[in-house]
Amino acid sequence: MTLYAEVIVPLPLEKTFYYIVPEGFKEKIKIGSKVLVSFRHRLLTGFIVKLHWKNPAGNYQLKEITELLDDKPVFTSTFLTYTQKLAAYFYSSWGNLLQASIPPSLTVKSRKRVFVTGKAGEGINMASLSNYEKKILSLLQKKSYMESYLKGKLKVRDLGVHLQRLEKKGLIFRKEEVQRKKRNKDKFDIPSAGQLEIDFSQDKKSIQAAGRLTKSLGKQAFSRFLLYGSTEKREGVYFYLIKHCLALKKRILFLVPEIVFTEDLIQKVKKRFTGNTAILHSRLSEKKRELAWKTIKDGAAEVVIGTRSAILSPVENVGLVIIDEEQDDSYYQKQNPAYDARIGAWFKAEQEGALLVFGSAFPSVEARFRAGEQGYLINLEKISSPGQVEIVDEGKERRLVSDSLYKRIKLRLARKEQVLAFSGRRGYSAFLTCSRCSYIPRCKHCDISLTYHKKREELVCHYCNYTIKYMNVCPKCGSKVVQKKGIGVEVIGEEFKKKFPKKRVAVFHPDEAGNKRRQEDILSLYKDGKIDILVGTSMLAHRFDLPPASLVVIFYPEITLALSDYKAAQKTFLSISQMLSHLKKDKDSRAVIKTAMPNNFSIKMAASGDYHAFYEQEIQYRKIMNYPPFSCMAEIVFQDENLRVLAEKSRQFAAKVKKKGNIEVLGPALAPVARVRGRNRIQVILKAKGKEEIDSVLKSALSKSRIKKSVYIYE
DNA sequence: AGCACGCCGACT
DNA sequence: GTCGGCGTGCTC
């Protein structure tokens, strides 16, 4: 009897495809197996999602599966169900999500390489060749290239037709190459379990919380909690829970934000769990990632700790899922495949009957609201105030460094104390503008002004890296005066260098390409007390391994408020709170916030460390405006080079949705960044009571429009 | 996504 | 006629 396999491929296609299972694989092939299939002239890694004894495809001519790639299936059927649900939730492709769930080195793909034949070397009748054919041949004279490379190099969409013609003329030939990394057969040793030391303070609230959570854990049925408290308190509870979970012979999945995943944290975890721990984060080498994944797959890892993608790791028998710093944006992956690790954690915990713990010192108002409503908020303590914070009104003091601030800094430095300065500006530098005609150099491909990098003497686009040389003459009016504006960290750093020329001033911006190493060096210099003033963005504020300073200066945190984003207040509150958390906790220490919006509530509440007051006001605002958590929003961004087509398609989409009723449609409107890499962007925002309403219309409204689009879900 | 097919204007 | 740009349908 013939066995038929239903296969999902890692392409943005909803469909599954049927193949015939060759005799040789019949015994070994299972649901969840990874296979190599021929799919329209190319070879792809696919995954078996179902097996059939009857031909499910009708009289369609089926192909055979080319190869079974492993002895044992890579996915369990529960994992398949889980990822399918997660992908559907975020309108992303299941196949892509499955591919993202295994180390890239374990997948296979075919590519086509193009060679010239001997005939091409002899005198060919050049006249008989088309422009493109000539170009292709001259490129290939030296060596062979991949089709994809040639396509990028020559910028032709239909490279295939030209290659076909050349092939017919006998001048080139193509060879399919299967890219397969070496299988990693080497054994990994399973270290013995270490002693788990609990530095659980004898704190009444923590004990209560731990008790309540442990009870839930013991039930081995899905339940969830929001743990509100400082990092130290939360950690105490986490480690207590982990110990109990291990005693139940259940696994733990512990997620942390991307940015805090530093060597420090890894060392800390390693120290606590000498063995049976797998660590997963984006900076792992291919080899290490594969090893960690295998440790988990084999069931050797008892604790899996990692960033958002760890939610796609093959952990089984999970009793506890922790998402620390619940409010962090990095849990939401917005690009192929899109998914939110927090929702993933929920699905996972539900499926496993596990205890789900969200933790934060500054929970998102959405999470805080739901937890309060549904009675699963656990309050560890009143978070202590950040200390003495002074707000300086930009309107009253225009200079970046005022006399009083200068004196303050001087005093600290004289006492051999360090100063931390933060800029609210997300980018790290300034842009240029002509003082006569106000011309601003902008990116050729993106709707954004170019950022000025003083050291490199260059103007760079933040979105596409388009770079031009620094100009001291305005290209529009020829005026010699071109001055920089804006208050990025570089400008702040320079200002400090000017005011304190004998002091060691450093600027931290790790998002600059190829600079990670040096940035880490800056941090360790600061840690060793070899830097007097350290300037950074909210990125720096995320680094909990930063030693606290006795003077913290925050410049213009209101910049995040200018974002057209319903979460702007929350983001501002959060970033200021994180910056202030680096203030030393003693009477003597001071923080200064320089702002043009001294009366803004998110700035004021962050300065006084009053999360509760912030929450109360923000949740009122969300309610009045009918924003999440009181509604579900879907943001759809359409992208195309042709603005006319783009506008037309997005209007059609909006009209389609409007017809269905009970959904509020905002837009179409230009996206905040209206052009990126030459592509225009138009967005439509849908607002509905719940996600079900969105789901009931969105899929059909998006179907078969060829235009590029991304969907983001907020609730 | 990536590719082939086929249509069509434009160039020789 | 044939080159090459563009829209569209399909992939087991």
Side-chain angles (χ1 to χ4, degrees):
Chain A
M1 261 222 303
T2 323
L3 183 61
Y4 301 90
E6 195 172 339
V7 175
I8 182 103
V9 289
L11 294 176
L13 303 172
E14 306 263 337
K15 264 197 194 160
T16 51
F17 296 85
Y18 299 105
Y19 287 85
I20 292 166
V21 179
E23 277 304 315
F25 307 151
K26 259 184 171 173
E27 294 293 313
K28 273 189 177 171
I29 209 161
K30 294 274 151 38
I31 288 176
S33 287
K34 178 153 59 75
V35 291
L36 190 63
V37 289
S38 146
F39 189 80
R40 177 89 182 244
H41 311 300
R42 52 191 167 146
L43 289 166
L44 291 177
T45 301
F47 307 103
I48 308 290
V49 296
K50 243 182 189 169
L51 291 165
H52 306 262
W53 284 107
K54 272 204 282 186
N55 187 348
N59 51 3
Y60 199 96
Q61 189 57 47
L62 297 184
K63 290 182 181 172
E64 282 202 339
I65 283 173
T66 309
E67 206 182 322
L68 175 61
L69 293 170
D70 323 84
D71 291 343
K72 284 184 186 151
V74 275
F75 300 127
T76 61
S77 54
T78 43
F79 192 83
L80 290 175
T81 320
Y82 158 67
T83 45
Q84 189 175 28
K85 198 172 159 189
L86 190 60
Y89 196 95
F90 292 100
Y91 294 85
S92 53
S93 130
W94 184 22
N96 281 153
L97 197 65
L98 285 172
Q99 195 185 32
S101 303
I102 50 175
S105 54
L106 298 183
T107 63
V108 178
K109 217 175 153 186
S110 78
R111 298 206 280 166
K112 288 201 182 107
R113 188 179 277 280
V114 192
F115 301 85
V116 277
T117 58
K119 209 174 153 188
E122 305 150 26
I124 343 152
N125 185 6
M126 283 304 253
S128 71
L129 296 175
S130 74
N131 273 344
Y132 276 119
E133 289 171 352
K134 279 180 223 155
K135 274 189 203 162
I136 293 164
L137 275 186
S138 70
L139 267 170
L140 290 171
Q141 257 359 294
K142 272 197 191 150
K143 61 187 203 112
S144 64
Y145 285 109
M146 288 301 179
E147 274 196 33
S148 54
Y149 174 83
L150 288 172
K151 196 180 255 176
K153 185 93 185 170
L154 294 167
K155 287 176 190 149
V156 243
R157 198 195 69 160
D158 299 319
L159 182 74
V161 302
H162 303 111
L163 292 177
Q164 250 176 39
R165 280 175 205 151
L166 283 169
E167 211 166 16
K168 243 187 204 160
K169 290 173 189 167
L171 299 171
I172 60 159
F173 66 95
R174 287 188 268 181
K175 221 169 92 189
E176 190 160 45
E177 283 184 6
V178 177
Q179 295 238 312
R180 188 193 309 243
K181 299 251 168 92
K182 264 180 276 157
R183 297 291 298 285
N184 206 335
K185 282 272 186 216
D186 48 347
K187 284 237 177 74
F188 37 92
D189 38 270
I190 300 155
S192 57
Q195 268 300 93
L196 190 57
E197 52 158 305
I198 309 291
D199 53 359
F200 200 65
S201 53
Q202 290 301 301
D203 166 75
K204 214 172 129 198
K205 282 211 166 175
S206 295
I207 291 168
Q208 267 177 12
R212 190 174 164 195
L213 290 168
T214 321
K215 217 175 129 194
S216 280
L217 187 69
K219 284 184 190 154
Q220 311 206 14
F222 173 70
S223 60
R224 60 172 172 151
F225 292 93
L226 173 62
L227 195 61
Y228 168 57
S230 69
T231 309
E232 302 77 56
K233 293 274 165 76
R234 287 190 330 266
E235 259 178 25
V237 176
Y238 293 156
F239 285 111
Y240 184 82
L241 286 174
I242 289 169
K243 189 186 137 201
H244 276 259
C245 191
L246 288 173
L248 293 168
K249 298 263 177 276
K250 292 256 187 174
R251 307 264 140 82
I252 294 103
L253 184 54
F254 191 160
L255 299 202
V256 294
E258 194 94 48
I259 198 91
V260 298
F261 215 99
T262 56
E263 201 46 44
D264 271 50
L265 181 63
I266 293 167
Q267 289 314 325
K268 207 161 151 190
V269 171
K270 277 191 178 156
K271 217 168 127 193
R272 295 230 180 172
F273 311 104
T274 340
N276 303 4
T277 302
I279 295 169
L280 285 168
H281 59 93
S282 55
R283 270 175 286 168
L284 284 182
S285 68
E286 204 38 65
K287 185 110 182 162
K288 280 188 174 164
R289 183 189 313 282
E290 195 180 313
L291 210 69
W293 187 86
K294 284 184 171 165
T295 315
I296 299 164
K297 182 69 191 161
D298 272 34
E302 294 179 297
V303 181
V304 176
I305 173 159
T307 53
R308 65 165 178 252
S309 65
I311 205 63
L312 299 176
S313 69
V315 241
E316 285 182 71
N317 193 20
V318 178
L320 172 66
V321 181
I322 298 168
I323 299 247
D324 197 33
E325 307 274 8
E326 160 281 323
Q327 79 293 342
D328 201 277
D329 282 345
S330 74
Y331 285 125
Y332 196 161
Q333 171 154 84
K334 295 196 158 188
Q335 223 73 74
N336 72 124
Y339 67 95
D340 188 331
R342 288 165 290 211
I343 301 287
W346 185 327
F347 290 169
K348 188 102 193 171
E350 234 172 18
Q351 199 179 42
E352 297 273 337
L355 168 67
L356 175 61
V357 181
F358 290 110
S360 178
F362 311 103
S364 65
V365 295
E366 294 89 335
R368 167 70 185 77
F369 176 77
R370 295 208 173 94
E373 289 282 290
Q374 292 164 37
Y376 58 83
L377 175 68
I378 295 184
N379 212 331
L380 280 182
E381 60 184 329
K382 198 175 176 298
I383 306 254
S384 61
S385 101
Q388 297 220 43
V389 184
E390 186 196 338
I391 297 180
V392 176
D393 186 353
E394 163 80 2
K396 288 177 186 145
E397 175 51 67
R398 302 225 74 117
R399 283 169 301 172
L400 199 58
V401 179
S402 67
D403 294 340
S404 70
L405 182 57
Y406 176 80
K407 275 184 205 149
R408 277 218 172 124
I409 295 172
K410 208 175 161 188
L411 187 73
R412 298 287 167 178
L413 297 178
R415 283 201 249 157
K416 301 266 179 257
E417 291 174 7
Q418 289 169 300
V419 175
L420 270 176
F422 296 102
S423 166
R425 195 175 189 86
R426 257 187 43 130
Y428 35 88
S429 42
F431 55 95
L432 295 183
T433 175
C434 170
S435 64
R436 196 200 288 167
C437 71
S438 298
Y439 168 81
I440 295 170
R442 306 184 74 87
C443 176
K444 228 163 78 179
H445 317 288
C446 309
D447 172 41
I448 198 115
S449 56
L450 294 171
T451 322
Y452 175 46
H453 286 247
K454 194 168 185 228
K455 266 202 198 108
R456 290 195 263 147
E457 289 282 297
E458 276 170 354
L459 299 170
V460 182
C461 171
H462 240 26
Y463 284 81
C464 72
N465 260 336
Y466 171 72
T467 305
I468 56 172
K469 281 191 88 184
Y470 167 74
M471 47 179 108
N472 47 19
V473 173
C474 172
K476 269 272 155 65
C477 70
S479 166
K480 280 221 171 87
V481 250
V482 179
Q483 58 177 203
K484 56 186 187 229
K485 264 201 183 161
I487 322 104
V489 281
E490 277 197 359
V491 176
I492 292 171
E494 261 167 51
E495 185 69 14
F496 282 140
K497 272 177 204 161
K498 230 187 279 166
K499 298 253 167 166
F500 307 98
K502 284 181 193 152
K503 296 295 174 181
R504 296 160 298 183
V505 180
V507 175
F508 180 79
H509 34 74
D511 43 347
E512 202 169 351
N515 213 2
K516 269 206 171 104
R517 197 56 195 267
R518 248 198 15 243
Q519 296 304 318
E520 289 305 315
D521 289 347
I522 288 180
L523 272 195
S524 57
L525 281 175
Y526 177 80
K527 283 181 202 169
D528 294 344
K530 286 175 183 150
I531 284 170
D532 301 309
I533 303 177
L534 181 61
V535 188
T537 60
S538 57
M539 289 281 215
L540 181 63
H542 263 93
R543 297 291 296 248
F544 74 100
D545 54 328
L546 202 62
S550 61
L551 177 61
V552 169
V553 192
I554 301 172
F555 290 99
Y556 311 109
E558 67 274 12
I559 287 161
T560 44
L561 286 170
L563 300 172
S564 61
D565 179 349
Y566 73 93
K567 286 182 181 167
Q570 166 143 306
K571 284 181 179 167
T572 309
F573 177 84
L574 184 70
S575 89
I576 300 175
S577 301
Q578 276 168 347
M579 290 168 184
L580 289 174
S581 69
H582 296 287
L583 187 62
K584 241 184 216 162
K585 297 265 176 283
D586 58 39
K587 274 188 198 154
D588 192 41
S589 297
R590 290 279 186 288
V592 176
I593 301 175
K594 179 83 186 291
T595 173
M597 299 171 83
N599 292 314
N600 179 276
F601 84 97
S602 36
I603 296 176
K604 269 165 56 176
M605 296 305 125
S608 57
D610 197 341
Y611 173 78
H612 191 69
F614 169 76
Y615 167 74
E616 287 300 334
Q617 188 161 344
E618 178 65 8
I619 202 74
Q620 284 310 316
Y621 163 75
R622 300 279 183 96
K623 190 166 188 178
I624 292 162
M625 300 300 291
N626 193 29
Y627 282 137
F630 300 98
S631 65
C632 175
M633 284 170 52
E635 183 188 1
I636 299 98
V637 182
F638 296 93
Q639 299 185 39
D640 198 273
E641 267 126 64
N642 185 332
L643 187 59
R644 220 174 281 278
V645 173
L646 183 65
E648 179 54 28
K649 297 275 178 187
S650 45
R651 265 199 301 275
Q652 279 171 12
F653 167 78
K656 250 194 221 169
V657 176
K658 267 183 194 149
K659 245 194 251 157
K660 306 260 180 165
N662 73 352
I663 290 191
E664 199 183 324
V665 181
L666 305 160
L670 285 175
V673 182
R675 211 158 68 97
V676 172
R677 291 172 195 271
R679 272 208 211 110
N680 295 296
R681 291 147 55 103
I682 286 185
Q683 59 171 219
V684 179
I685 292 171
L686 309 183
K687 220 157 137 189
K689 215 165 156 205
K691 183 148 187 301
E692 306 75 49
E693 280 83 1
I694 302 263
D695 288 339
S696 70
V697 303
L698 191 49
K699 195 142 251 172
S700 66
L702 284 176
S703 68
K704 65 186 166 190
S705 115
R706 248 189 128 76
I707 213 151
K708 254 200 185 21
K709 64 226 151 203
S710 1
V711 178
Y712 310 117
I713 303 290
Y714 303 103
E715 60 181 335

